[in-house]
């Protein structure tokens, strides 16, 4: 059995499907399990919070592997992640896959990602086999534009021509599935292993917000106008749904990426044996959100 937190999120939904398609039993954990969209055989939905170890004890019972992804609010608060790792070990979990962030490596002092660094440290200090995933920006961040694209056929975003290799959340899920399912010390094909590995996950090429808007426009077959926001305007909009530090940290990366944050990683292709998916493919699968 595999316990998946964040099971209704952009990564978790796909991961649950991939695991059940592979014949795994899954405990799908969400803060709002009644809103779960999947009722697939082999999936048991339950409530839990990665920042509250007590709420995870039941979902972890009988699991051999645990997938951890933090919700946005848990970047700011929550109990010591060591408590969650201890609960996992007590339940018999052998392997943990953690979604961290590329920024944990590129900007190790950034306040916006301190919580993720705490989780990385706790995972490393545990006696569990672990794999850490460090994705860059998500292609699914474009969902933030969905409302204005639907109603005004307009994208409002800062840093119009700063390009980053955004990653498809489906690729993150696929890498996570590989790591979760492999026996301790080797992958599913008996070649090498994922234990102790840190994977940097990106898309296949850098793409700017203006270019992303053009891809959505082409997929819709209608003109989508791009309006560039100032950093201050973007910060005010983001601070309505995320902590101030998180908004500032995100804008630092989007506006002035370090060379390592602009670089394309080969890790998706290495783990999956196929190229990373591009932004256009993500848009095609999610086009109804923008119609």
């Amino acid at each position: 059995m595999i316990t998946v937190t964040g099971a209704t999120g952009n990564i978790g939904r796909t991961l649950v499907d991939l695991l059940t398609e592979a014949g795994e039993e899954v405990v799908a954990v969400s803060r709002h399990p009644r809103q779960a969209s999947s009722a697939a055989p082999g999936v048991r939905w339950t409530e839990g919070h990665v920042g509250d170890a007590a709420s995870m004890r039941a979902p972890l019972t009988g699991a051999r592997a645990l997938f951890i992804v933090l919700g946005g609010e848990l970047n700011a608060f929550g109990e010591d992640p060591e408590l969650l790792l201890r609960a996992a070990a007590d339940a018999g979990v052998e392997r943990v896959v953690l979604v961290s962030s590329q920024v944990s490596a590129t900007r190790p002092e950034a306040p916006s990602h301190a919580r993720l660094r705490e989780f990385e440290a706790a995972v490393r200090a545990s006696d569990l086999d672990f794999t850490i995933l460090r994705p860059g920006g998500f292609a699914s961040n474009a969902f933030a534009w969905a409302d204005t694209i639907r109603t005004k056929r307009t994208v409002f975003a800062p840093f119009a021509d700063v390009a980053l290799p955004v990653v498809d959340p489906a690729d993150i899920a696929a890498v996570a599935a590989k790591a979760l399912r492999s026996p301790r010390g080797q992958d599913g094909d008996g070649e090498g292993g994922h234990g102790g590995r840190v994977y940097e996950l990106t898309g296949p090429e850098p793409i700017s917000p203006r270019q992303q808007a053009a891809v959505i426009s082409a997929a819709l077959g209608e003109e989508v106008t791009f309006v560039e926001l100032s950093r201050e305007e973007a910060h005010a909009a983001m601070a309505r749904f995320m902590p101030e530090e998180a908004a500032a940290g995100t804008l630092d990366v989007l506006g002035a990426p370090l060379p390592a944050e602009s670089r394309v990683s080969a890790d998706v292709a290495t783990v999956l044996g196929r190229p990373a998916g591009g932004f256009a493919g993500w848009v095609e699968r999610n086009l109804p959100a923008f119609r």
Side-chain angles (χ1 to χ4, degrees):
M1 192 179 77
I2 297 173
T3 299
V4 174
T5 65
T8 57
N10 290 313
I11 302 170
R13 288 194 305 270
T14 301
L15 178 57
V16 168
D17 290 343
L18 290 173
L19 293 174
T20 55
E21 288 166 7
E24 301 286 354
E25 288 187 52
V26 176
V27 175
V29 182
S30 169
R31 293 176 66 87
H32 304 289
R34 292 181 183 176
Q35 299 175 10
S37 58
S38 170
V43 181
R44 176 167 64 86
W45 288 92
T46 187
E47 184 174 358
H49 317 272
V50 297
D52 178 4
S55 75
M56 290 295 298
R57 293 193 183 279
L60 287 168
T61 301
R64 74 174 191 275
L66 168 64
F67 175 75
I68 302 174
V69 62
L70 276 65
E73 73 282 7
L74 290 175
N75 283 320
F77 63 85
E79 65 188 18
D80 189 333
E82 181 183 340
L83 297 177
L84 174 63
L85 275 299
R86 191 181 305 156
D90 290 346
V93 169
E94 298 178 351
R95 167 167 296 181
V96 173
V97 175
L98 169 70
V99 178
S100 181
S101 169
Q102 183 185 60
V103 175
S104 295
T106 58
R107 302 176 191 242
E109 304 301 323
S112 57
H113 289 69
R115 186 68 170 151
L116 285 174
R117 294 195 297 273
E118 289 178 9
F119 267 81
E120 282 203 19
V123 165
R124 291 177 185 276
S126 74
D127 292 328
L128 303 175
D129 203 31
F130 70 85
T131 305
I132 294 173
L133 311 182
R134 288 179 174 166
F138 289 15
S140 55
N141 289 344
F143 279 138
W145 305 334
D147 183 58
T148 58
I149 290 176
R150 286 193 305 266
T151 59
K152 302 178 181 179
R153 286 295 188 255
T154 303
V155 166
F156 298 89
F159 315 121
D161 299 307
V162 179
L164 291 167
V166 296
V167 61
D168 188 330
D171 282 347
I172 303 173
V175 172
K178 278 269 193 179
L180 287 163
R181 297 190 67 232
S182 63
R184 189 175 183 118
Q186 65 179 34
D187 67 18
D189 300 317
E191 302 174 354
H194 302 290
R197 299 291 186 90
V198 178
Y199 294 123
E200 182 182 11
L201 308 180
T202 73
E205 61 185 356
I207 182 169
S208 70
R210 194 190 304 275
Q211 291 169 328
Q212 291 178 39
V215 169
I216 296 171
S217 176
L220 289 170
E222 299 181 36
E223 182 179 357
V224 173
T225 302
F226 187 92
V227 176
E228 185 169 17
L229 300 178
S230 68
R231 179 183 173 115
E232 292 71 25
E233 290 170 330
H235 187 280
M238 294 170 69
R240 290 199 292 267
F241 60 88
M242 67 172 63
E244 289 279 342
E245 285 185 342
T250 299
L251 290 168
D252 287 344
V253 175
L254 294 177
L258 301 172
E261 294 161 351
S262 300
R263 184 180 60 227
V264 172
S265 168
D267 284 353
V268 169
T270 298
V271 175
L272 301 182
R274 62 161 175 79
F279 184 74
W282 178 86
V283 170
E284 286 294 338
R285 296 199 315 275
N286 294 279
L287 196 59
F290 302 100
R291 287 202 180 281

Short mmCIF file of all heavy atoms in Angstrom, two decimals, residues 249-289:
data_model
loop_
_atom_site.label_atom_id
_atom_site.label_comp_id
_atom_site.label_asym_id
_atom_site.label_seq_id
_atom_site.Cartn_x
_atom_site.Cartn_y
_atom_site.Cartn_z
N GLY A 249 9.53 35.64 -2.68
CA GLY A 249 10.47 34.64 -3.15
C GLY A 249 10.16 34.14 -4.54
O GLY A 249 11.05 33.94 -5.37
N THR A 250 8.87 33.93 -4.81
CA THR A 250 8.45 33.49 -6.14
C THR A 250 8.80 34.53 -7.19
O THR A 250 9.32 34.21 -8.28
CB THR A 250 6.94 33.23 -6.15
OG1 THR A 250 6.64 32.19 -5.22
CG2 THR A 250 6.47 32.82 -7.54
N LEU A 251 8.56 35.79 -6.88
CA LEU A 251 8.85 36.86 -7.84
C LEU A 251 10.35 37.03 -8.06
O LEU A 251 10.79 37.39 -9.16
CB LEU A 251 8.22 38.17 -7.38
CG LEU A 251 6.69 38.20 -7.46
CD1 LEU A 251 6.12 39.39 -6.72
CD2 LEU A 251 6.23 38.20 -8.91
N ASP A 252 11.16 36.75 -7.03
CA ASP A 252 12.61 36.79 -7.20
C ASP A 252 13.05 35.81 -8.28
O ASP A 252 13.89 36.12 -9.14
CB ASP A 252 13.32 36.45 -5.89
CG ASP A 252 13.22 37.57 -4.86
OD1 ASP A 252 12.89 38.71 -5.24
OD2 ASP A 252 13.47 37.28 -3.66
N VAL A 253 12.49 34.60 -8.23
CA VAL A 253 12.85 33.58 -9.21
C VAL A 253 12.32 33.93 -10.59
O VAL A 253 13.03 33.83 -11.60
CB VAL A 253 12.33 32.19 -8.76
CG1 VAL A 253 12.61 31.15 -9.85
CG2 VAL A 253 12.95 31.77 -7.44
N LEU A 254 11.05 34.35 -10.65
CA LEU A 254 10.44 34.65 -11.94
C LEU A 254 11.11 35.83 -12.64
O LEU A 254 11.22 35.85 -13.87
CB LEU A 254 8.95 34.96 -11.75
CG LEU A 254 8.06 33.82 -11.27
CD1 LEU A 254 6.63 34.32 -11.07
CD2 LEU A 254 8.09 32.65 -12.23
N GLY A 255 11.55 36.81 -11.85
CA GLY A 255 12.09 38.02 -12.45
C GLY A 255 13.57 38.02 -12.68
O GLY A 255 14.07 38.66 -13.62
N ALA A 256 14.31 37.33 -11.82
CA ALA A 256 15.77 37.30 -11.93
C ALA A 256 16.29 35.91 -11.64
O ALA A 256 16.96 35.66 -10.63
CB ALA A 256 16.38 38.32 -10.98
N PRO A 257 15.96 34.94 -12.49
CA PRO A 257 16.40 33.57 -12.23
C PRO A 257 17.91 33.43 -12.28
O PRO A 257 18.60 34.08 -13.09
CB PRO A 257 15.74 32.76 -13.37
CG PRO A 257 15.48 33.76 -14.45
CD PRO A 257 15.19 35.05 -13.76
N LEU A 258 18.42 32.59 -11.41
CA LEU A 258 19.83 32.25 -11.43
C LEU A 258 20.09 31.29 -12.59
O LEU A 258 19.17 30.65 -13.10
CB LEU A 258 20.22 31.59 -10.11
CG LEU A 258 19.99 32.44 -8.85
CD1 LEU A 258 20.21 31.61 -7.59
CD2 LEU A 258 20.87 33.67 -8.86
N PRO A 259 21.35 31.19 -13.05
CA PRO A 259 21.64 30.28 -14.16
C PRO A 259 21.12 28.87 -13.93
O PRO A 259 20.58 28.23 -14.85
CB PRO A 259 23.17 30.32 -14.26
CG PRO A 259 23.53 31.69 -13.75
CD PRO A 259 22.55 31.97 -12.65
N ALA A 260 21.24 28.37 -12.71
CA ALA A 260 20.77 27.01 -12.42
C ALA A 260 19.26 26.89 -12.52
O ALA A 260 18.73 25.79 -12.78
CB ALA A 260 21.22 26.58 -11.02
N GLU A 261 18.53 28.00 -12.34
CA GLU A 261 17.08 27.97 -12.43
C GLU A 261 16.58 28.07 -13.87
O GLU A 261 15.43 27.72 -14.15
CB GLU A 261 16.49 29.10 -11.58
CG GLU A 261 16.76 28.90 -10.10
CD GLU A 261 16.62 30.15 -9.25
OE1 GLU A 261 16.47 31.26 -9.83
OE2 GLU A 261 16.64 30.04 -8.02
N SER A 262 17.44 28.53 -14.76
CA SER A 262 17.10 28.62 -16.18
C SER A 262 17.53 27.38 -16.96
O SER A 262 17.13 27.20 -18.11
CB SER A 262 17.76 29.85 -16.81
OG SER A 262 17.34 31.04 -16.16
N ARG A 263 18.32 26.55 -16.33
CA ARG A 263 18.91 25.39 -17.00
C ARG A 263 17.90 24.25 -17.12
O ARG A 263 17.13 23.98 -16.20
CB ARG A 263 20.13 24.92 -16.21
CG ARG A 263 20.91 23.77 -16.83
CD ARG A 263 22.09 23.41 -15.95
NE ARG A 263 21.67 23.00 -14.62
CZ ARG A 263 22.22 23.44 -13.50
NH1 ARG A 263 23.20 24.33 -13.53
NH2 ARG A 263 21.79 22.99 -12.33
N VAL A 264 17.93 23.55 -18.24
CA VAL A 264 17.10 22.36 -18.45
C VAL A 264 17.81 21.16 -17.84
O VAL A 264 19.00 20.91 -18.10
CB VAL A 264 16.84 22.12 -19.94
CG1 VAL A 264 16.14 20.79 -20.17
CG2 VAL A 264 16.01 23.27 -20.52
N SER A 265 17.10 20.41 -17.01
CA SER A 265 17.64 19.20 -16.39
C SER A 265 17.24 17.98 -17.21
O SER A 265 16.15 17.92 -17.79
CB SER A 265 17.11 19.06 -14.96
OG SER A 265 17.38 17.77 -14.45
N ALA A 266 18.10 16.98 -17.21
CA ALA A 266 17.81 15.72 -17.91
C ALA A 266 17.17 14.68 -17.01
O ALA A 266 16.91 13.55 -17.45
CB ALA A 266 19.11 15.15 -18.50
N ASP A 267 16.87 15.02 -15.75
CA ASP A 267 16.45 14.00 -14.79
C ASP A 267 15.12 13.35 -15.15
O ASP A 267 14.93 12.15 -14.92
CB ASP A 267 16.41 14.58 -13.38
CG ASP A 267 17.79 14.75 -12.77
OD1 ASP A 267 18.78 14.30 -13.39
OD2 ASP A 267 17.89 15.34 -11.68
N VAL A 268 14.15 14.12 -15.68
CA VAL A 268 12.88 13.50 -16.08
C VAL A 268 13.14 12.42 -17.12
O VAL A 268 12.64 11.29 -17.01
CB VAL A 268 11.90 14.56 -16.62
CG1 VAL A 268 10.70 13.87 -17.28
CG2 VAL A 268 11.41 15.47 -15.50
N ALA A 269 13.90 12.76 -18.14
CA ALA A 269 14.19 11.78 -19.20
C ALA A 269 14.98 10.59 -18.68
O ALA A 269 14.74 9.45 -19.07
CB ALA A 269 14.95 12.46 -20.34
N THR A 270 15.91 10.83 -17.76
CA THR A 270 16.71 9.76 -17.21
C THR A 270 15.86 8.75 -16.45
O THR A 270 16.01 7.54 -16.60
CB THR A 270 17.80 10.32 -16.28
OG1 THR A 270 18.67 11.17 -17.05
CG2 THR A 270 18.62 9.21 -15.65
N VAL A 271 14.95 9.25 -15.63
CA VAL A 271 14.11 8.37 -14.81
C VAL A 271 13.03 7.70 -15.65
O VAL A 271 12.76 6.50 -15.50
CB VAL A 271 13.46 9.15 -13.65
CG1 VAL A 271 12.49 8.25 -12.88
CG2 VAL A 271 14.54 9.69 -12.71
N LEU A 272 12.40 8.43 -16.56
CA LEU A 272 11.23 7.91 -17.27
C LEU A 272 11.57 7.26 -18.61
O LEU A 272 10.74 6.56 -19.19
CB LEU A 272 10.21 9.02 -17.51
CG LEU A 272 9.67 9.71 -16.25
CD1 LEU A 272 8.65 10.76 -16.63
CD2 LEU A 272 9.06 8.70 -15.29
N GLY A 273 12.77 7.51 -19.11
CA GLY A 273 13.15 6.93 -20.39
C GLY A 273 12.45 7.57 -21.57
O GLY A 273 12.33 6.98 -22.65
N ARG A 274 12.00 8.78 -21.39
CA ARG A 274 11.36 9.56 -22.46
C ARG A 274 11.58 11.03 -22.18
O ARG A 274 11.89 11.41 -21.05
CB ARG A 274 9.85 9.27 -22.52
CG ARG A 274 9.10 9.65 -21.26
CD ARG A 274 7.62 9.79 -21.49
NE ARG A 274 6.86 10.04 -20.27
CZ ARG A 274 6.75 11.22 -19.66
NH1 ARG A 274 7.39 12.28 -20.15
NH2 ARG A 274 6.02 11.36 -18.57
N PRO A 275 11.44 11.90 -23.17
CA PRO A 275 11.64 13.32 -22.93
C PRO A 275 10.59 13.90 -21.98
O PRO A 275 9.46 13.39 -21.90
CB PRO A 275 11.51 13.95 -24.33
CG PRO A 275 11.72 12.83 -25.29
CD PRO A 275 11.20 11.60 -24.60
N ALA A 276 10.96 14.95 -21.29
CA ALA A 276 9.99 15.68 -20.47
C ALA A 276 8.92 16.30 -21.37
O ALA A 276 9.19 16.68 -22.51
CB ALA A 276 10.70 16.78 -19.68
N GLY A 277 7.72 16.39 -20.84
CA GLY A 277 6.62 16.98 -21.62
C GLY A 277 6.74 18.49 -21.68
O GLY A 277 7.15 19.14 -20.72
N GLY A 278 6.35 19.05 -22.81
CA GLY A 278 6.43 20.49 -22.99
C GLY A 278 5.16 21.21 -22.54
O GLY A 278 4.13 20.59 -22.24
N PHE A 279 5.22 22.53 -22.52
CA PHE A 279 4.08 23.34 -22.09
C PHE A 279 2.88 23.14 -23.00
O PHE A 279 1.73 23.08 -22.53
CB PHE A 279 4.47 24.81 -22.04
CG PHE A 279 3.39 25.71 -21.51
CD1 PHE A 279 3.09 25.74 -20.15
CD2 PHE A 279 2.67 26.54 -22.36
CE1 PHE A 279 2.08 26.56 -19.65
CE2 PHE A 279 1.67 27.37 -21.87
CZ PHE A 279 1.38 27.38 -20.51
N ALA A 280 3.11 22.99 -24.30
CA ALA A 280 1.99 22.83 -25.24
C ALA A 280 1.19 21.57 -24.92
O ALA A 280 -0.04 21.57 -25.03
CB ALA A 280 2.50 22.79 -26.67
N GLY A 281 1.87 20.50 -24.55
CA GLY A 281 1.17 19.26 -24.21
C GLY A 281 0.32 19.44 -22.97
O GLY A 281 -0.81 18.92 -22.90
N TRP A 282 0.85 20.16 -21.98
CA TRP A 282 0.07 20.43 -20.78
C TRP A 282 -1.18 21.23 -21.12
O TRP A 282 -2.28 20.94 -20.63
CB TRP A 282 0.91 21.18 -19.75
CG TRP A 282 0.12 21.51 -18.52
CD1 TRP A 282 -0.08 20.73 -17.42
CD2 TRP A 282 -0.63 22.71 -18.29
NE1 TRP A 282 -0.91 21.35 -16.52
CE2 TRP A 282 -1.26 22.57 -17.02
CE3 TRP A 282 -0.82 23.88 -19.02
CZ2 TRP A 282 -2.08 23.56 -16.48
CZ3 TRP A 282 -1.65 24.87 -18.48
CH2 TRP A 282 -2.26 24.71 -17.22
N VAL A 283 -1.03 22.24 -21.99
CA VAL A 283 -2.18 23.07 -22.38
C VAL A 283 -3.23 22.24 -23.08
O VAL A 283 -4.44 22.36 -22.79
CB VAL A 283 -1.71 24.23 -23.28
CG1 VAL A 283 -2.91 24.96 -23.90
CG2 VAL A 283 -0.86 25.22 -22.49
N GLU A 284 -2.83 21.37 -23.99
CA GLU A 284 -3.80 20.55 -24.72
C GLU A 284 -4.64 19.71 -23.77
O GLU A 284 -5.86 19.58 -23.96
CB GLU A 284 -3.08 19.65 -25.73
CG GLU A 284 -2.54 20.37 -26.95
CD GLU A 284 -3.64 20.95 -27.84
OE1 GLU A 284 -4.79 20.45 -27.76
OE2 GLU A 284 -3.36 21.88 -28.60
N ARG A 285 -4.02 19.14 -22.74
CA ARG A 285 -4.75 18.30 -21.80
C ARG A 285 -5.67 19.12 -20.90
O ARG A 285 -6.64 18.59 -20.35
CB ARG A 285 -3.79 17.49 -20.93
CG ARG A 285 -2.94 16.51 -21.67
CD ARG A 285 -2.38 15.44 -20.73
NE ARG A 285 -1.87 15.99 -19.49
CZ ARG A 285 -0.65 16.49 -19.31
NH1 ARG A 285 0.20 16.51 -20.32
NH2 ARG A 285 -0.27 16.94 -18.13
N ASN A 286 -5.36 20.39 -20.73
CA ASN A 286 -6.10 21.23 -19.77
C ASN A 286 -6.85 22.37 -20.44
O ASN A 286 -7.28 23.31 -19.77
CB ASN A 286 -5.14 21.77 -18.71
CG ASN A 286 -4.56 20.68 -17.84
OD1 ASN A 286 -5.21 20.22 -16.90
ND2 ASN A 286 -3.35 20.24 -18.15
N LEU A 287 -7.02 22.27 -21.74
CA LEU A 287 -7.63 23.38 -22.50
C LEU A 287 -9.01 23.77 -22.02
O LEU A 287 -9.34 24.98 -22.03
CB LEU A 287 -7.66 23.02 -23.99
CG LEU A 287 -7.90 24.18 -24.95
CD1 LEU A 287 -6.84 25.26 -24.79
CD2 LEU A 287 -7.95 23.67 -26.39
N PRO A 288 -9.87 22.85 -21.55
CA PRO A 288 -11.19 23.29 -21.09
C PRO A 288 -11.14 24.36 -19.99
O PRO A 288 -12.08 25.17 -19.88
CB PRO A 288 -11.80 21.98 -20.54
CG PRO A 288 -11.16 20.92 -21.36
CD PRO A 288 -9.75 21.37 -21.56
N ALA A 289 -10.07 24.40 -19.21
CA ALA A 289 -9.97 25.42 -18.14
C ALA A 289 -9.89 26.83 -18.72
O ALA A 289 -10.19 27.80 -18.02
CB ALA A 289 -8.74 25.14 -17.28
#
